[in-house]
Amino acid sequence: PAADAARATKLKHATQRTQHARALSLSSRMDANAYMALTTKLQAGETTRLADGRELNKKQLFVEALRCNPGESYASCNLGAELAPGEKVQLEDGRKLDQKQLFAEAIRGDPENSYAYLHLGLVLAPGETARLHDGCVMDKQQLFIHGIHADAVKKTLGVVALAITLAPKETVPLADGRWLDSRQLLYDALEYRDTDAGTDAGIDHAAAIERLGEQQAVVQAFANNDVKAFAV
């Protein structure tokens, strides 16, 4: 039964990829959103064949999305998350960009893209800074804080990322005026997660402590700078 379910799932993904590829071939104007939608149907290492015969992987599909819409913030962000450290990709305009440059491009395309701030913060080394297109220079903590402020809904990952940058007893200011340490930030992350899931916010400390173990895999992923795990 498990093998049958796996085959059925694989067939479903293949069918969905074919349908999206056909939709692209029928479109008189290739649309960035269509290429991005197709990436969601690909598993790691998979490619899809378009009507013109090209076999494209996820990176190449994001490049195509940016060719259609060079300012597409989430295409830049996801393309950066697909790259390995030090790897560069060439865009339609001839530029060769690495992860940091792509995440900065994503912020320029949409200054409210909280994931772009999160990803850029993750790939910075401790003490390293990034200069954004408006001239603003930010370190890891500042990027995480800005990402949290940029999107009041999708806070959970940003709050966890910020928490693990703090030294013991160190606190950081949030937009609501509170100064929180790493444990208090993790409490907030649990609360935001519940809010995002549509359940009651405002869990008490006892419940937070009991469930804090659920965050360990997330914390470890952030500690390892595993940006691909958090692709949008």
Side-chain angles (χ1 to χ4, degrees), residues 3-4 9 12 149 157 171 185 189:
D4 290 342
T9 300
K12 178 181 178 182
H149 295 171
L157 298 180
T171 60
L185 284 166

Side-chain angles (χ1 to χ4, degrees), residues 145-158:
I145 291 172
H146 204 92
I148 294 168
H149 295 171
D151 192 328
V153 177
K154 301 171 183 174
K155 285 186 173 181
T156 305
L157 298 180

Side-chain angles (χ1 to χ4, degrees), residues 95-219:
R95 290 181 300 159
K96 294 182 179 180
L97 305 184
D98 60 17
Q99 286 184 310
K100 297 172 188 175
Q101 293 167 320
L102 284 165
F103 297 142
E105 283 288 305
I107 293 171
R108 179 168 71 167
D110 179 6
E112 299 302 308
N113 183 347
S114 60
Y115 290 112
Y117 293 100
L118 168 64
H119 284 311
L120 182 53
L122 284 170
V123 298
L124 291 185
E128 186 180 5
T129 60
R131 182 179 295 276
L132 303 183
H133 291 88
D134 61 2
C136 187
V137 177
M138 296 186 184
D139 61 17
K140 290 172 78 75
Q141 284 189 8
Q142 291 167 327
L143 285 163
F144 294 149
I145 291 172
H146 204 92
I148 294 168
H149 295 171
D151 192 328
V153 177
K154 301 171 183 174
K155 285 186 173 181
T156 305
L157 298 180
V159 171
V160 174
L162 176 60
I164 67 168
T165 68
L166 300 185
K169 298 185 179 180
E170 182 182 3
T171 60
V172 290
L174 299 186
D176 57 12
R178 294 178 300 159
W179 286 74
L180 304 184
D181 61 21
S182 59
R183 192 166 184 80
Q184 291 166 328
L185 284 166
L186 288 175
Y187 288 147
D188 268 20
L190 291 170
E191 183 175 324
Y192 295 138
R193 185 183 61 183
D194 285 349
T195 302
D196 294 347
T199 59
D200 292 336
I203 57 177
D204 61 24
H205 279 197
I209 292 170
E210 182 180 347
R211 297 169 55 192
L212 199 54
E214 298 177 22
Q215 293 292 99
Q216 292 309 305
V218 179
V219 171

Side-chain angles (χ1 to χ4, degrees), residues 8 10 13 16-17 30 37 41 46 54 56 59 96 102 162 175 180 184 190 204 222 224-226:
K10 188 174 182 179
H13 281 296
Q16 289 174 329
R17 291 197 300 272
M30 294 301 194
K41 309 304 176 185
E46 285 188 332
R54 289 180 299 162
L56 302 184
K59 294 178 191 176
K96 294 182 179 180
L102 284 165
L162 176 60
L180 304 184
Q184 291 166 328
L190 291 170
D204 61 24
F222 278 114
N224 293 336
N225 283 350
D226 186 6

